[in-house]
Amino acid sequence: KTHAGKIKNVLDDFGFQCFLAHQDIRPTHQWLNTILENLEKCEVFVPILTKDFCLSEWTGQEIGYALAKGKHIISLRTGIDPPGFLGRFQALNYNPKEKFPIEKFLSVLSTHPSLGEKIRYQIIKQFCESSSYLDAKRNVDFLVNIEDVTTEELKSIFEASVSNNQIYNMPTAR
């Protein structure tokens, strides 16, 4: 629960709208309906594969639901390989003792056929709107990991590199 909460915070800070049952379901709400509603509307499903993952009676059902609905799944491997039908998808390695690999996570999403454009747009927008040298440096780290960048997107990056003083004058940009 602790690691899932930390991951949720990182993704929320980046602009994702994340749902985490043990944090987001309010007392007295019908939790099962809330979980189903969120599974239905999610675009990306992120199971965290811990050693206790398969001990839960619910994780397998949630995975099955996400697979049946054709949700994009990015498994985070922290101790076990993806079980069952989930095993056909390569997992992203994640060590809970280290920082969540948001750069790799975004890189994976940036190549997705239906989500990639939206993710690349958000990464490039953040870069173009960098408000400090430190912000620009952090945003460059996201930029260098995205793939399938279009000519228009490259043009936006170049224009921001010249017009935004926080990017242009960033010490590491030279």
Side-chain angles (χ1 to χ4, degrees):
K1 288 183 179 182
T2 302
H3 298 301
K6 288 178 182 178
I7 293 168
K8 179 188 185 322
N9 290 339
V10 170
L11 294 175
D12 283 345
D13 287 347
F14 201 81
F16 287 89
Q17 294 176 343
C18 301
F19 171 77
L20 185 57
H22 70 269
Q23 283 187 2
D24 297 328
I25 298 176
R26 291 181 278 152
T28 74
H29 278 219
Q30 292 191 19
W31 60 270
L32 185 55
N33 289 342
T34 303
I35 290 172
L36 286 172
E37 287 168 11
N38 280 279
L39 280 169
E40 184 64 37
K41 71 180 182 180
C42 80
E43 293 181 275
V44 181
F45 184 76
V46 184
I48 304 170
L49 307 175
T50 65
K51 60 181 176 46
D52 296 331
F53 182 83
C54 293
L55 299 177
S56 167
E57 67 179 281
W58 294 101
T59 54
Q61 293 181 53
E62 291 168 350
I63 294 295
Y65 189 92
L67 286 168
K69 292 291 186 172
K71 302 297 180 177
H72 185 62
I73 299 174
I74 301 177
S75 299
L76 300 178
R77 181 188 299 119
T78 67
I80 65 167
D81 289 328
F85 287 119
L86 193 57
R88 67 182 173 177
F89 301 105
Q90 182 66 31
L92 181 63
N93 289 324
Y94 168 59
N95 181 346
K97 294 177 183 175
E98 297 175 2
K99 184 183 94 161
F100 177 68
I102 185 69
E103 295 87 358
K104 286 184 181 178
F105 186 85
L106 293 174
S107 177
V108 169
L109 282 179
S110 73
T111 61
H112 187 271
S114 64
L115 300 173
E117 186 176 338
K118 189 186 316 184
I119 298 299
R120 289 190 312 273
Y121 172 81
Q122 184 63 27
I123 293 169
I124 293 167
K125 180 176 181 260
Q126 273 195 227
F127 173 75
C128 293
E129 295 174 357
S130 295
S131 59
S132 69
Y133 296 149
L134 187 59
D135 201 27
K137 169 64 176 113
R138 181 181 65 90
N139 292 328
V140 164
D141 291 343
F142 292 123
L143 267 184
V144 298
N145 285 298
I146 61 173
E147 300 176 20
D148 300 339
V149 180
T150 67
T151 303
E152 276 304 306
E153 291 166 338
L154 284 173
K155 184 178 174 185
S156 296
I157 293 166
F158 177 77
E159 288 173 358
S161 298
V162 173
S163 65
N164 182 328
N165 285 333
Q166 301 305 315
I167 299 168
Y168 185 78
N169 294 316
M170 181 176 49
T172 56
R174 297 170 196 246

